[in-house]
Every structure is written in C-alpha cells, then in structure tokens.
Amino acid sequence: MLEETPNSVSVQLDGVDRSYANAVRRFCIAEVPSMAIDDVVILENSSVLYDEILAHRLGMVPIKTDLDKYVLPEKCDCGSPLGCSKCRVLFVLDASGKEKVSTVYSGDLVSEDREIRPTSEQIPIVKLALGQSVKLEAYARLGRGKEHAKWQPATVAVLTDGPTEGSFVLMVESAGGLPAKKIVLKAIELLEEKLKEIQVSVGAKAE
Ligand SMILES: [Zn+2]
C-alpha cells in the first residue's frame, strides 16, 4: 500500500506478470459490480426534459454500494424481472416547482434503504418552473462496467511501472459508490474466481 484516501488508492504489485497486473486493473473497471439506477417508472413529468433524458440522468448518479447485502439480479434466487429486496433498491422522487424556478437534486431521491443513497446530494437532475412537477419510482441494481459505464465503480484505474524491476503501481480512483481499496480487493477476488473456472473447464485440478 503506497497511498490511501477514501476515494483513491495506490498499491505496488511485486512478483506478478504485467498481464496479471493489467487484468486486475481491467477488473476494477469492468467486473467489480456497483449500484446504479436501471429502471424508472415515470408517474408524472411536466418538466422540460423528456422521460428518457430524465431516466438517463438518474442512471448516471453514483450510488453507495453494499456488495455484502445485495446480489447481481442474474445471481438472485428470486428469478423475478422486477427483483426483490436482495437485488434491487427502490427510490421515490416527488418534486414540484414551488418557487419561480427550483432545481431537483439527487438528494431529493428517497431510498427505501438508508445505506443505499446517492454519493452526493448536490447533483442537479432537472429544473422545474412554477407548476411543473416530476413524480417517479426508480429501481437501482448491481451491474458491471462492461454492460454500461454507469456501473463502473472506478473512474480511474492506471497501471505504471514500479520503482523496482518487475514491479507495478496500480492507482485506482473510485466513483464514490465503493471505497477504492474495496474495488481493488474485489477485483483480485473476482479474477481468482475466473481463473479457477478456466482451470476447471480445461479439466485441470483447481488448486
Ligand atoms: Zn432478487
């Protein structure tokens, strides 16, 4: 561990191949799941934004992620397209223009799980004029960066040569949903799992 802040981490990797170090970097971006809004049911929208744009903006809001409490929808035993309390979190937004022009922020989203909420309450979603209103239900789910950029847990993952021969430095910056250290540890765990799957599928003994 070279440096650690709540949102970023720099680690030195010794005694590994460049391809392994780069695989860890790629897993930080594309394989470690994080939470993002994926389905939006618009009940009312008289704002200037189309429903689709509103839903897209909500999808890009970084959300606090708990990988111990929630599972990927495809791995959940509920098997329901609507999801259950283990694979989705419901957010409700009910806002209307009370002053001349008011702004709806990410902090106005009310979550059914207090721990799962936007990482910042200050992200503007839409502006409302007097009399305009937005009412919607939004469902957040775990997903992976390889499916859509909104599920990338890391905004930056850079691999550089380390100070000694054959060592590497991996710097990871979190989007805010997960601590950067957790992203790196999870990436290594998932990479190990995949390597074991390969060993088993080619008939070798998994050790
Ligand atoms: Zn479920």
Side-chain angles (χ1 to χ4, degrees):
M1 177 70 73
L2 300 174
E3 208 183 324
E4 190 186 0
T5 71
N7 267 332
S8 74
V9 78
S10 277
V11 290
Q12 189 177 323
L13 306 168
D14 289 316
V16 294
D17 234 46
R18 183 182 294 275
S19 55
Y20 179 86
N22 192 48
V24 173
R25 183 190 70 82
R26 293 190 56 138
F27 268 57
C28 288
I29 294 172
E31 293 284 345
V32 175
S34 74
M35 214 41 134
I37 287 174
D38 190 38
D39 244 340
V40 181
V41 180
I42 309 261
L43 304 171
E44 197 180 316
N45 175 20
S46 54
S47 77
V48 294
L49 293 187
Y50 293 119
D51 294 358
E52 290 82 356
I53 297 177
L54 202 55
H56 180 260
R57 289 187 66 78
L58 290 168
M60 299 308 286
V61 171
I63 290 173
K64 284 269 174 223
T65 298
D66 185 339
L67 293 177
D68 300 320
K69 195 167 169 189
Y70 291 92
V71 293
L72 284 159
E74 61 265 35
K75 289 194 177 164
C76 190
D77 46 29
C78 72
S80 159
L82 289 172
C84 67
S85 59
K86 277 195 295 183
C87 63
R88 60 118 175 82
V89 180
L90 171 67
F91 289 86
V92 175
L93 180 66
D94 185 355
S96 50
K98 291 178 190 93
E99 300 156 32
K100 232 173 163 186
V101 176
S102 59
T103 305
V104 180
Y105 291 96
S106 50
D108 295 321
L109 286 162
V110 180
S111 173
E112 64 177 346
D113 183 338
R114 275 195 309 173
E115 302 300 317
I116 308 298
R117 58 185 195 282
T119 57
S120 165
E121 302 199 329
Q122 311 287 324
I123 302 166
I125 306 290
V126 59
K127 283 190 173 177
L128 297 176
L130 186 68
Q132 292 182 344
S133 62
V134 169
K135 274 184 195 166
L136 56 85
E137 290 175 1
Y139 294 91
R141 295 188 178 91
L142 285 179
R144 298 187 184 98
K146 65 179 178 186
E147 295 166 63
H148 193 288
K150 67 182 177 184
W151 280 307
Q152 280 185 13
T155 48
V156 180
V158 188
L159 189 68
T160 49
D161 285 325
T164 54
E165 185 75 25
S167 75
F168 306 97
V169 174
L170 176 66
M171 195 279 276
V172 173
E173 207 174 285
S174 168
L178 284 166
K181 187 177 171 181
K182 175 94 184 175
I183 296 172
V184 175
L185 292 174
K186 196 75 190 171
I188 292 167
E189 185 189 315
L190 293 172
L191 179 55
E192 293 289 310
E193 271 175 31
K194 287 242 161 154
L195 290 173
K196 279 195 181 128
E197 277 171 30
I198 293 172
Q199 278 185 318
V200 171
S201 67
V202 297
K205 234 194 282 170
E207 281 162 27

